[in-house]
Amino acid sequence: MTLDILALSGSLRRTSHNSGLLRALRVMAPPGVTVDIYGGLRALPLFDQDRERDDVPAPVADLRRRIREADGVVIATPEYNSAIPGVLMNALDWASRPAGDSSLRGKPVAILGASPSQFGTARGQMVLRQVLHRIQAPVVVEPEITVFRSHERFTPDGTLLPDEVTEDLMRRLLGELVRLIEATARPETAVSA
Ligand code: FNR
């Protein structure tokens, strides 16, 4: 069985560290798991509740379809003003609507993030967890991956420099996401913490 993971970066920046994290994650996927980095967030219009159900913009329909088709989602987010970027929030708003037909409800999600600060997106990830909780998407609890001082840990083109600790954490994160996907598919086997 193959598991398909859809990866979203909260940054549109050409040399984004968060997009770089996702590229590193993609090559770490264990056998039977594919990580596909979604390239369509730039095309999303601003959320418009008049168009959430009817006359849905094509980029929104594409995002919702790709999330529905995926077994799980990975989100790498920057921290903007102690929260998450509008680009990501906009995508989550579109994907979580209309009420009663959210593509994210029940969809297993893993999160991580990189920033140049010493906190490495810790505050932004708290916000993201809160949003995903409201959306009713189960989120991997551990490991938490906050790649701090990211300006020292990526090449100028946004490629993660060799880093055993971070790579090991990312492998564990993928493993936990697979576990969460399997537990969500077979709720009777889920073990409470
Ligand atoms: C930032 N940045 C930032 N960093 C941080 O650690 N905490 C913060 O609250 C903020 N706030 C913030 C607001 C805005 C509007 C911008 C544009 C930037 C810096 C940010 O972490 C940095 O630009 C990262 O490199 C962005 O991630 P990517 O683009 O490299 O993935």
Side-chain angles (χ1 to χ4, degrees), residues 62-113:
D62 184 69
L63 173 68
R64 290 174 175 170
R65 178 181 60 78
R66 295 292 301 280
I67 291 173
R68 277 188 215 286
E69 286 174 1
D71 296 291
V73 172
V74 172
I75 301 173
T77 186
E79 178 175 287
Y80 280 7
N81 297 320
S82 303
I84 58 174
V87 164
L88 179 58
M89 192 65 203
N90 188 51
L92 295 173
D93 285 345
W94 276 120
S96 67
R97 299 292 296 185
D101 193 23
S102 161
S103 57
L104 277 166
R105 185 176 175 154
K107 186 69 63 177
V109 179
I111 69 174
L112 71 169

Side-chain angles (χ1 to χ4, degrees), residues 11 13 16-18 78-82 114-117 123:
S11 173
R13 202 166 69 84
S16 160
H17 299 158
N18 287 282
E79 178 175 287
Y80 280 7
N81 297 320
S82 303
S115 95
S117 83
R123 293 168 299 198

